[in-house]
Amino acid sequence: MAAVTIGTSNLTFATVSEGSIGLVQSFSEARNIEKNEVRNNSGDIVAVGYYNATTSYSLSVALIGAYAVTAGAALAALANATTAIGSGSLRIDSITINKSNDAFVTLDISATGYPNVS
């Protein structure tokens, strides 16, 4: 049954399906960029350069089948991502499989999106 929400309209509740990976339990996205500052002879910053934009993704899923993708492999897309991968590349940094005697098997994935690498 879908959640019933009451209150402010246009709020988004929960996650969307990530295809055949599993049932998404949590998802996060962090946009990053490096910067270089130029200082004058008084130590004041007089110029700033921003470069090397990346996006870090982290998701946890309850597995619904076998999962064979390895670290370093490419992910085609992430349905929960708010930034489009576009012509760039999305690579898996790490995969963790969690098992317990009182919980479902979950899979944690960390990945990085590189907008300038195809």
Side-chain angles (χ1 to χ4, degrees), residues 44-56:
D44 296 325
I45 297 171
V46 295
V48 179
Y50 290 96
Y51 61 100
N52 195 28
T54 58
T55 304
S56 299

Side-chain angles (χ1 to χ4, degrees), residues 1-5 13:
M1 178 175 143
V4 175
T5 58
F13 183 80

Side-chain angles (χ1 to χ4, degrees), residues 35-89:
K35 70 177 178 178
N36 187 8
E37 302 171 338
V38 177
R39 298 176 184 268
N40 65 10
N41 59 335
S42 300
D44 296 325
I45 297 171
V46 295
V48 179
Y50 290 96
Y51 61 100
N52 195 28
T54 58
T55 304
S56 299
Y57 301 96
S58 177
L59 69 145
S60 180
V61 298
L63 286 179
I64 56 174
Y67 190 73
V69 175
T70 59
L75 280 173
L78 288 171
N80 285 286
T82 58
T83 17
I85 305 306
S87 61
S89 176

